[in-house]
Amino acid sequence: MAEIAIKQVAKRFGGFTALHSIDLTIADQEFMVLLGASGCGKTTLLRIVAGLETPSQGEVWIGGRRVDHLPPRERGIAMVFQNYAVFPHLTVFENIAFGLRMKKLPQQEVEGRVNRTAELMHIEQLLKRYSGQLSGGQRQRVAVARALAMEPDVILMDEPLSNLDALLRLEMRAELKGVLAASKTTTIYVTHDQVEAMSLADRIAVMHQGHIVQAASPVEVYRNPAARFVGSFIGNPPMNFILATKAADGSWTVAGLTLPGPKSDKQTIEFAIRPEDVDTGTEGLHATVRVVEPLGPHTLVTCDVEGGLFRAILESNATVAVGDHLRLAQTRPHPLVRPRNHQRALIQTPFDPESTTAP
Ligand code: ATP
């Protein structure tokens, strides 16, 4: 059992607070992705779990054992970083065996583990090569194999695929998912790539300015972002935010679009609408097409609407041209709203905004 519990962990660098009292529990064998923009604190949090950085406050527990005072080698973890330090002067075999030799495991055990993990990563035919003779993707596999060979309870990965080209990245992503699920380790994986996060994670912890804003399954994070930031960070293109005004009958309208809304004594309220949750019709949001991007499976249309821009994902055979006037109707029954008195909350309608509290 290797549950990881991060309890009220904060990190200050001089006067700058990189992490604000983080609480996060990662279940045994769970694949947790830390996702966020550059500088939000992902790597710092990972390094604290690894023991490469000391927290200014808080505790780290792995497998029911408090570890924040222990050096990395005593934490039962293996790490794979972006600049995966594969030694060019060693063969692939010796690279994978490196940590096992440090642990002074018997030769037979070393050979068994190296062969098993090499097979798992499809590099068994490369074992005799020097790693300086490998491609980036092959070196990447060696780095992962070396971590897996340690049979750790926990694997920590920091942007391990970022040096690869797009195609290889896609391939390795799928392989990594399968291999890590089979190895039954608990994984924390840092990335700023939302697609990678969505595809790999059991849960995603979305980070922003040293806080975890939401930790939930990929679908939950996508469909029910707990905060405006999450909606604006996840999704390509991200959510549209439009300000609607209360009509006489209590519904909410913006430029011809009427939305089912919460009861509120506020006069304006912000709705959050995913680009794929609208369709063209005879009524709805008045929108003038500014840019049309046929992307293959669908067409992305950027429109001018009252108060700003609105992006809609339409069918690939949609016949729209720059300058067209469209009406866009919401196709999901319960759009998300952000009451103006709640700075961060995004809440699924229908709801009573006066009875909710912001996270
Ligand atoms: P990236 O995706 O760019 O790697 P990140 O989310 O991993 O970003 P961190 O590396 O954790 O971000 O850094 C978080 C913040 O802490 C940043 O503002 C960074 O400048 C700051 N920081 C990190 N390490 C140090 C340090 N040793 N001294 C001072 N500030 C630091």
Side-chain angles (χ1 to χ4, degrees):
M1 287 288 286
E3 179 190 272
I4 303 170
I6 296 165
K7 300 181 184 180
Q8 297 184 358
V9 163
K11 180 66 185 177
R12 289 177 284 278
F13 294 107
F16 174 72
T17 302
L19 295 173
H20 301 263
S21 193
I22 300 283
D23 281 299
L24 185 66
T25 302
I26 299 124
D28 180 41
Q29 297 181 36
E30 188 175 24
F31 197 127
M32 173 68 78
V33 171
L34 305 181
L35 174 70
S38 182
C40 70
K42 311 176 290 291
T43 296
T44 303
L45 186 57
L46 194 77
R47 287 172 59 83
I48 286 173
V49 175
L52 301 172
E53 201 78 73
T54 314
S56 310
Q57 164 205 308
E59 300 173 5
V60 179
W61 293 67
I62 298 178
R65 198 167 59 115
R66 187 169 172 185
V67 298
D68 45 83
H69 57 291
L70 298 178
R73 66 176 182 285
E74 288 175 31
R75 296 190 180 198
I77 53 170
M79 297 174 250
V80 183
F81 290 130
Q82 184 178 349
N83 50 350
Y84 30 87
V86 171
F87 306 116
H89 61 287
L90 294 182
T91 60
V92 169
F93 185 100
E94 286 306 326
N95 262 290
I96 301 175
F98 189 79
L100 308 175
R101 297 221 190 278
M102 299 281 281
K103 279 175 99 176
K104 302 201 170 12
L105 293 186
Q107 177 64 13
Q108 205 179 351
E109 174 79 14
V110 172
E111 280 178 19
R113 287 204 201 183
V114 171
N115 288 328
R116 265 199 311 280
T117 46
E119 209 173 307
L120 205 61
M121 295 309 298
H122 305 299
I123 47 173
E124 63 273 34
Q125 74 287 5
L126 300 176
L127 285 171
K128 289 192 180 128
R129 277 223 216 150
Y130 284 91
S131 53
Q133 304 166 324
L134 303 178
S135 72
Q138 290 166 334
R139 268 203 295 278
Q140 176 62 54
R141 283 159 204 249
V142 175
V144 175
R146 187 170 60 190
L148 289 175
M150 300 295 284
E151 297 182 0
D153 296 330
V154 171
I155 290 198
L156 307 177
M157 299 192 169
D158 192 351
E159 309 251 11
L161 306 185
S162 57
N163 290 349
L164 308 182
D165 68 49
L167 200 60
L168 200 53
R169 227 178 137 125
L170 204 69
E171 209 176 280
M172 278 296 298
R173 193 171 81 198
E175 277 185 27
L176 208 53
K177 186 169 181 163
V179 166
L180 287 172
S183 71
K184 296 192 173 13
T185 53
T186 308
T187 306
I188 307 183
Y189 186 104
V190 161
T191 183
H192 62 267
D193 180 335
Q194 51 162 306
V195 179
E196 204 164 283
M198 300 284 287
S199 89
L200 288 170
D202 292 321
R203 275 192 304 152
I204 299 175
V206 184
M207 295 187 66
H208 184 47
Q209 296 177 347
H211 296 274
I212 291 182
V213 191
Q214 184 172 17
S217 72
V219 171
E220 184 69 12
V221 161
Y222 187 77
R223 271 292 149 213
N224 289 312
R228 195 186 201 276
F229 171 77
V230 180
S232 62
F233 189 75
I234 293 189
N236 185 16
M239 284 182 137
N240 296 291
F241 293 93
I242 50 174
L243 210 55
T245 307
K246 190 157 66 179
D249 65 357
S251 64
W252 299 90
T253 63
V254 50
L257 175 69
T258 302
L259 291 157
K263 288 199 201 81
S264 171
D265 59 6
K266 302 282 174 298
Q267 289 310 305
T268 56
I269 193 169
E270 192 177 52
F271 281 82
I273 301 176
R274 288 246 174 247
E276 65 272 31
D277 290 345
V278 292
D279 204 357
T280 52
T282 51
E283 43 189 50
L285 192 68
H286 288 279
T288 306
V289 177
R290 182 195 273 224
V291 182
V292 179
E293 296 170 73
L295 298 177
H298 55 253
T299 295
L300 174 61
V301 180
T302 304
C303 302
D304 287 309
V305 301
E306 182 188 292
L309 288 180
F310 192 100
R311 292 192 178 83
I313 291 177
L314 304 178
E315 284 183 4
S316 53
N317 59 1
T319 47
V320 285
V322 172
D324 280 0
H325 179 74
L326 304 177
R327 302 293 300 269
L328 296 171
Q330 155 91 9
T331 54
R332 286 182 80 81
H334 301 304
L336 294 165
V337 298
R338 184 174 71 109
R340 301 209 80 198
N341 54 341
H342 295 110
Q343 281 310 299
R344 296 198 295 134
L346 271 184
I347 300 158
Q348 190 131 27
T349 58
F351 82 119
D352 175 0
E354 310 314 328
S355 68
T356 57
T357 46

